[in-house]
Amino acid sequence: MAKTVMIEAFGGPEVMQVVDRPVGEPGPGEIRIAHKACGLNFIDVYQRTGLYPLELPHPLGMEASGVIEAVGEGVTHLKAGDRAAYASMPPGAYAQARVMPAAQVCPLPDDISFDDGAAMMLKGLTVVYLFHRTTPLKRGDTVLFHAAAGGVGLIACQWARSEGITLIGTAGTDDKCQLALDHGASHCINYRTQDWVAQVKKLTDGKGVDVVMDAVGADTFDGSLNSLKPLGMMISFGNASGPVPPFSVGILGQKGSLKITRPTLFTHIADHHACQEMASQLFGKVRSGDVKIKIDQRFPLEDVAAAHQALEARKTTGSTILTV
């Protein structure tokens, strides 16, 4: 049995229940993992509220780290006793232990802590696909990144600095802006006190940016399009303020033959070999010191509701983990 966070209905943080749940043995292509820490992400909120519907009842959580306890038939890249970390479907990472598909579970290098492993997989692999698998980016390009002081944002700031990319961040307080600057953002705009679209244009001599990376959604969508240079790429990869409403595709032509994409991490890591390659790239950045994982909040698994409340209220910076 393992303590596991379950929902039986969609709703607020109060719908999450910590229950004892049988773990079982891994079948073909599966592993059983005992978790050391679990990561917290906005996708967990989307699933809890029903924005991304799950078949109920269902456990929550998309990333964690721990030790492999058993492997099923056909699993060759992991063995019992291995340290491991993952970001993976199906949800169920908010647990002391679980059985799950092995393909997206990655061996965790010995010199990366379990806490960092739990905090970095979903966010770090997201940065990998944003910078390397979505649209070509090269040294000297300029990126606008919303929520630059969040878990994904602070990794993105460091990643951009390590590759010679100018990152203009936005954040909701001066302290958060300073945090983004400290982690490698070239500029950071307080969107509550400044006209961030005008500031982006000013910082780019009126040209706009090459790429926008926007996980905020509804509140920033129009401004993000207006911040792009002609032929620029809009990457909409989240809905923290709510989903982007329908829009006329013709507006992309009017604003300069813009491009837009709505990727998900789980498409990029669906292939086992691609997932392991992306993880290796992420681990390399962390082990080199180019990227440091900043964990600013830790909650016991039993306090998962408080963790969700803090995330939704935008009271968190960096990454948040649940300890088990």
Side-chain angles (χ1 to χ4, degrees), residues 31 33 64-66 68 77-78 82-87 101-109 121 125 269 272 274-280 283:
I31 55 95
I33 183 169
S65 66
I68 303 298
H77 70 292
L78 294 164
D82 282 353
R83 304 169 81 252
Y86 65 87
Q104 281 68 47
V105 181
C106 305
L108 182 67
M121 294 301 289
L125 292 173
I269 64 172
H272 166 71
C275 177
Q276 300 297 321
E277 181 181 318
M278 290 169 67
S280 179
F283 295 151

Side-chain angles (χ1 to χ4, degrees), residues 126-137 142-146 209-217 220-221 224-225 228 232-239 244 252 258-265 268:
T126 295
V127 172
V128 173
Y129 85 68
L130 288 173
F131 279 81
H132 295 282
R133 295 173 60 92
T134 305
T135 190
L137 277 168
T142 301
V143 167
L144 172 62
F145 200 102
H146 293 298
V209 298
D210 297 287
V211 177
V212 176
M213 299 177 180
D214 187 343
V216 174
T220 52
F221 183 75
S224 291
L225 291 182
L228 284 166
M233 168 65 86
M234 168 72 170
I235 307 175
S236 175
F237 69 103
N239 323 278
V244 174
L252 302 177
L258 304 180
K259 301 180 285 288
I260 187 167
T261 184
R262 198 345 179 154
T264 71
L265 171 63
H268 283 279

